[in-house]
């Protein structure tokens, strides 16, 4: 489970990240990232916050929960590697249902690296 300070909870936070942030996608996931340091608003104190969107298009409830657990585990590993004050929404696409955990992790790391929110990934995707 992600610690409370690292979770996006409010609908307005999700909407703000998706509407105002940058977006990058791969076959199984789309990552939306909004860095509060790039705006004139007050910078939120604390680490990055992550939110997940796993819609019914991914599959039935059992599959959606499995995908969400995998994504949550990936986010836990990224907390120390993403800059503070960054909100990230990870949206699972239907292909995430059949993708392995390592494949999802590689895709997310690559997307965050493309947005300059993560240091280089040693493995190529």
């Amino acid at each position: 489970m992600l610690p409370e300070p690292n979770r996006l909870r409010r609908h307005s936070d999700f909407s703000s990240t998706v509407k105002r942030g940058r977006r990058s996608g791969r076959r199984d996931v789309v990552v939306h990232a909004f860095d509060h340091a790039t705006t004139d608003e007050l910078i939120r104190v604390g680490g990055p916050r992550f939110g997940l969107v796993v819609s019914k298009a991914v599959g039935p409830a059992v599959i959606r929960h499995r995908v969400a657990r995998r994504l949550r585990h990936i986010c836990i590993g990224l907390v120390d590697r993403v800059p503070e004050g960054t909100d990230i929404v990870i949206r699972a696409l239907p292909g995430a249902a059949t993708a392995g955990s390592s494949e999802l992790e590689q895709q997310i790391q690559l997307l965050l690296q493309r947005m300059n929110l993560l240091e280089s990934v040693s493995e190529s995707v």
Side-chain angles (χ1 to χ4, degrees):
M1 183 66 88
L2 272 168
E4 180 65 32
N6 298 113
R7 282 189 256 173
L8 280 177
R9 290 288 206 171
R10 298 187 332 222
H11 180 268
S12 61
D13 291 337
F14 275 84
S15 295
S16 173
T17 302
V18 171
K19 290 178 184 174
R20 297 173 62 191
R22 296 177 290 162
R23 179 186 63 171
S24 188
R26 295 285 289 178
R27 183 181 63 242
D28 302 321
V29 292
V30 175
V31 174
H32 300 268
F34 180 63
D35 186 4
H36 290 274
T38 62
T39 64
D40 291 336
E41 56 190 54
L42 293 174
I43 297 176
R44 184 181 44 77
V45 178
R49 297 187 302 172
F50 294 88
L52 305 176
V53 177
V54 185
S55 73
K56 288 184 179 182
V58 173
V62 173
I63 302 298
R64 291 195 312 270
H65 289 293
R66 182 182 306 139
V67 169
R69 281 193 307 272
R70 288 178 177 169
L71 294 176
R72 214 174 290 119
H73 181 75
I74 292 166
C75 292
I76 290 170
L78 295 172
V79 167
D80 295 332
R81 298 176 61 198
V82 175
E84 289 186 6
T86 305
D87 289 345
I88 296 174
V89 173
I90 299 173
R91 185 166 42 97
L93 299 176
T98 56
S101 296
S102 61
E103 190 176 351
L104 289 172
E105 184 172 11
Q106 287 176 345
Q107 289 182 37
I108 291 169
Q109 287 181 357
L110 178 68
L111 295 172
L112 290 173
Q113 180 185 343
R114 281 185 186 168
M115 290 190 265
N116 296 321
L117 294 173
L118 192 67
E119 62 270 11
S120 297
V121 178
S122 59
E123 302 170 345
S124 63
V125 176

